[in-house]
Each structure stands twice: as C-alpha cells, then as structure tokens.
Amino acid sequence: MDNKSKETNRTRSAGGRAKDRVDSVDPYGFERSENFDYESYEELMSEYLVVLTRRSIKWSKLLKGKSKVQKNVKLKRYVRKGVPNEHRGLVWMATSGAQDQLEKNPGYYQSLLGAQHDPKLVETICTDLNRTFPDNILFRKTSNPCLQKALYNILLAYGHHNPAVGYCQGMNFIAGFLLIITKDEEKSFWLMDALVGKILPDYYSPAMLGLKTDQEVLGELVKVKDPRVWQTMVDHNVMWTLVVSRWFICLYVDVLPVETVLRIWDCLFYEGSKILFRVALTLIHYNQALIQQAKSLPDVCQTFKQITHGPFVDECHTFMQKIFTEPGSLSTATLTKLRATCRSRIIAEDS
C-alpha cells in the first residue's frame, strides 16, 4: 500500500464513515441511490473542490461583478475548464444568446402564460410532470417551494411560443434541469429556447429529423474513428437510435452524473451541438474493448447503459479534458457535410 492510500485510510478511520459525513441528497436535490459509493465520492470531491475553488477565484477576477460577458478565446478556455455554480446562470444566459432575447422581449414570457391554453398541450405536459426527476426532492408536491408548477409554466409557455414543436418527451428533463440551476422561470424559458430553437433545431419537432440525423452522423463518425465498434454494431444489427437516443434527447441529463452534465452544458451553450458528439465519441472510444465483447444485440444495449456509470464519468474534470482530445479533430465543416448526407438519406427512406 502506498503512502497516499495509508493516509486516506487513516483519515477515513479517524473521521468515521463517509456515509455519515456526506448528505444523502446532493446539492441539486437528487437523492443518492442505495448503492451510492460514498467513500469514492468523498475522495473525488476532496480533489475536485480544490479545482472548483481555483476556478471560482479566476472567474470572479474575470467577471469583476459584471452582469454581462463577451465571447472570446479566453472565455472559451474558462468555460471548458468549468463555470462555478454561482456564475453558471449568468454565463449560460450570455453565451447562448438567451440574455439578449430576454432583454429584447420584456413581458413576453408572462404574456404566454396569460394567453388561452391549448387543452391537448396542457394534458400532455401534465402527464409528464410526475415523471420528471422522481428522485429529486425539489419536484415533489411536499417540497416548499415545489418546482413542478414552475416546470409546468415553462413547458406550457414554450409550447405556445414554438407551436411547431409544442411539447415532446425529454423537454421536461431539460426544463427541469435549467430550473434547478437558474432557479428562475423566465431565464429557464429563454435558455430552453436557445437549446430547442437554435442549438438543436429539429431535435424535438414531431418528425425529430434533427435528432435522427445526428444519431446517424454519430454512426458515421464512429465508422471512421472506431471502425471495430462500428463493425460490432453492424454484426449485431444494432441501430444507433437504440443505444444513444436518450443521450441526445436528454442532452445527457439523467444519463451521466450531475456534475459531469453541468460541465457538458457549460460547453454546449458556448460551442453548440458539436459537444454532444465529443461526449458520445469519448464514451465509445474509451470503452471500445468492452463494446466489442458484446455477443448479441441485448449485450450491446446493456454495455451502452453500463458505460455511462463509473469512475471515468464521475471524474468530471478529467472527463471534460478527454472530450477535447480523445475524439481527435471534429470540424464544423465535417459535421455539416455529414448532416446533409444523413438527412437526405433519412428523408429518402421515410418517403
């Protein structure tokens, strides 16, 4: 046993069990699962808190109390290294363009809530409210305040704002996650608009053409970057939508650990949908040997569920460094070309 391990063990035994020290509910209201590894989490957070503190000091110097930020090379570098929670709402609003929309449209959100509501839209949204983060105490009716009403308002307003999309499953998790972070209905609405209307067009429209296209694009990228994994998928006749649709439609919410999702979203609002591919390619590349061991279609599906858990994704700081190195080059031009090809293919198949 090395000195570090001895030191860790001494600290643990001196301080009692990690489970007694770590709250059973995380800082965002999510209850920890029964098999949650408190010891590993405590060790991980003791290291990550050092990083967070260092980043927080740097961000405070960068922002200097400003309520607005301008996109530039330095800001992009800072975003990739993580936005501290206290600045997250401000930075997401600024980098996504949501802040500009909010300022250009004063009173618009409230006017949507005050308008005549489509009963079918109301019914569809209400059906999904209780299914949104059942493991999060903030969304329970017993909670004060309960975020369910705010979630309902955002989804209803957005359904009227963008009738071509209306409401689609998956949007409840996105709106809910935005609420947890911003704690503000109107800001969550405009961030939702940035994601659904601008960053991920056609992901949530009735035909879901954007979502279907990007799943196929991922397949094409894997074919080039990890051909053996691609061959495994072909051998077992696994369609990409079967294993990654939840990754893309929920933007990794309820798929990867919360801290990791927050770091992904920091980059998603700044750099756009390319980040979703970087995350997917990193997960697949890192676990390529495991995926290739699959002996059947159910095996492949199980493996894709398995790779979204464990130390590799828990250590969000290291994981985020990997997404910018592991997949190699991923230019916007390449994505645009692949999207056009895959989109045409899907439209031809559907017609």
Side-chain angles (χ1 to χ4, degrees):
M1 189 186 285
D2 61 22
N3 287 337
K4 190 180 176 186
S5 300
K6 285 176 186 170
E7 185 61 41
T8 304
N9 284 345
R10 269 202 301 274
T11 306
R12 283 180 184 161
S13 55
R17 294 190 319 152
K19 193 171 182 179
D20 298 331
R21 292 188 296 272
V22 177
D23 202 330
S24 62
V25 175
D26 79 8
Y28 310 100
F30 292 97
E31 290 178 318
R32 305 197 196 277
S33 63
E34 282 184 18
N35 58 355
F36 185 78
D37 187 342
Y38 286 89
E39 302 282 338
S40 297
Y41 174 79
E42 191 176 51
E43 198 170 321
L44 176 67
M45 284 311 288
S46 67
E47 292 171 14
Y48 189 45
L49 283 170
V50 176
V51 174
L52 288 176
T53 306
R54 190 168 66 238
R55 299 311 312 161
S56 188
I57 293 165
K58 284 181 178 282
W59 272 97
S60 294
K61 283 181 183 173
L62 180 78
L63 295 172
K64 295 188 185 112
K66 285 183 280 195
S67 59
K68 287 203 171 181
V69 284
Q70 293 292 319
K71 280 188 162 187
N72 55 44
V73 177
K74 186 177 184 179
L75 185 67
K76 184 178 179 179
R77 192 174 74 244
Y78 270 46
V79 167
R80 283 187 173 189
K81 289 181 178 180
V83 182
N85 246 338
E86 64 265 31
H87 302 307
R88 220 163 224 139
L90 183 149
V91 174
W92 286 5
M93 290 291 289
T95 56
S96 66
Q99 186 63 39
D100 290 341
Q101 288 302 309
L102 185 149
E103 289 170 10
K104 282 177 192 168
N105 298 281
Y108 177 66
Y109 176 69
Q110 290 303 325
S111 73
L112 288 170
L113 292 179
Q116 186 75 33
H117 300 318
D118 174 358
K120 198 168 186 306
L121 178 68
V122 170
E123 187 187 343
T124 315
I125 291 169
C126 286
T127 304
D128 265 5
L129 284 181
N130 287 328
R131 298 175 188 161
T132 310
F133 301 132
D135 60 339
N136 192 301
I137 61 169
L138 302 174
F139 288 87
R140 293 198 186 136
K141 289 189 172 75
T142 51
S143 175
N144 187 20
C146 169
L147 293 184
Q148 267 201 14
K149 176 61 177 161
L151 175 64
Y152 168 80
N153 286 347
I154 294 163
L155 294 172
L156 186 66
Y158 194 79
H160 288 300
H161 165 70
N162 188 348
V165 169
Y167 172 75
C168 162
Q169 278 191 333
M171 286 167 64
N172 52 326
F173 287 103
I174 290 162
F177 202 65
L178 288 168
L179 256 179
I180 291 168
I181 302 308
T182 64
K183 300 176 181 65
D184 185 297
E185 266 185 51
E186 193 173 11
K187 285 179 180 177
S188 295
F189 168 81
W190 286 112
L191 284 168
M192 182 111 176
D193 187 48
L195 283 171
V196 178
K198 188 175 73 172
I199 298 171
L200 307 161
D202 278 351
Y203 261 49
Y204 305 93
S205 58
M208 291 185 154
L209 188 55
L211 178 73
K212 290 174 184 173
T213 299
D214 280 1
Q215 288 170 172
E216 292 304 307
V217 169
L218 177 65
E220 294 297 323
L221 289 168
V222 172
K223 188 176 181 179
V224 174
K225 294 177 183 290
D226 286 305
R228 287 180 181 173
V229 170
W230 181 82
Q231 193 58 53
T232 301
M233 301 290 280
V234 171
D235 291 347
H236 299 301
N237 201 23
V238 185
M239 293 171 69
W240 285 99
T241 184
L242 204 57
V243 290
V244 299
S245 63
R246 189 163 173 76
W247 294 7
F248 281 81
I249 203 163
C250 291
L251 314 179
Y252 299 102
V253 174
D254 225 29
V255 173
L256 292 173
V258 179
E259 291 290 348
T260 307
V261 176
L262 287 169
R263 292 288 300 272
I264 292 166
W265 280 34
D266 290 345
C267 299
L268 179 64
F269 282 120
Y270 194 106
E271 301 183 49
S273 58
K274 190 194 291 189
I275 294 301
L276 301 181
F277 292 103
R278 287 201 164 278
V279 173
L281 288 168
T282 303
L283 284 168
I284 291 164
H285 183 73
Y286 183 80
N287 294 286
Q288 56 184 318
L290 195 63
I291 297 166
Q292 286 166 52
Q293 287 169 21
K295 299 283 189 290
S296 64
L297 185 147
D299 267 6
V300 175
C301 295
Q302 189 52 44
T303 304
F304 268 82
K305 280 183 186 169
Q306 192 182 328
I307 66 176
T308 58
H309 302 278
F312 182 61
V313 292
D314 286 338
E315 293 170 15
C316 60
H317 200 58
T318 312
F319 180 77
M320 291 307 289
Q321 289 168 339
K322 293 269 187 199
I323 75 164
F324 294 108
T325 53
E326 291 267 325
S329 171
L330 187 61
S331 70
T332 303
T334 301
L335 278 183
T336 304
K337 194 175 172 184
L338 283 172
R339 275 174 167 155
T341 307
C342 292
R343 198 179 185 94
S344 301
R345 192 166 68 212
I346 291 164
I347 292 168
E349 285 169 0
D350 288 350
S351 60

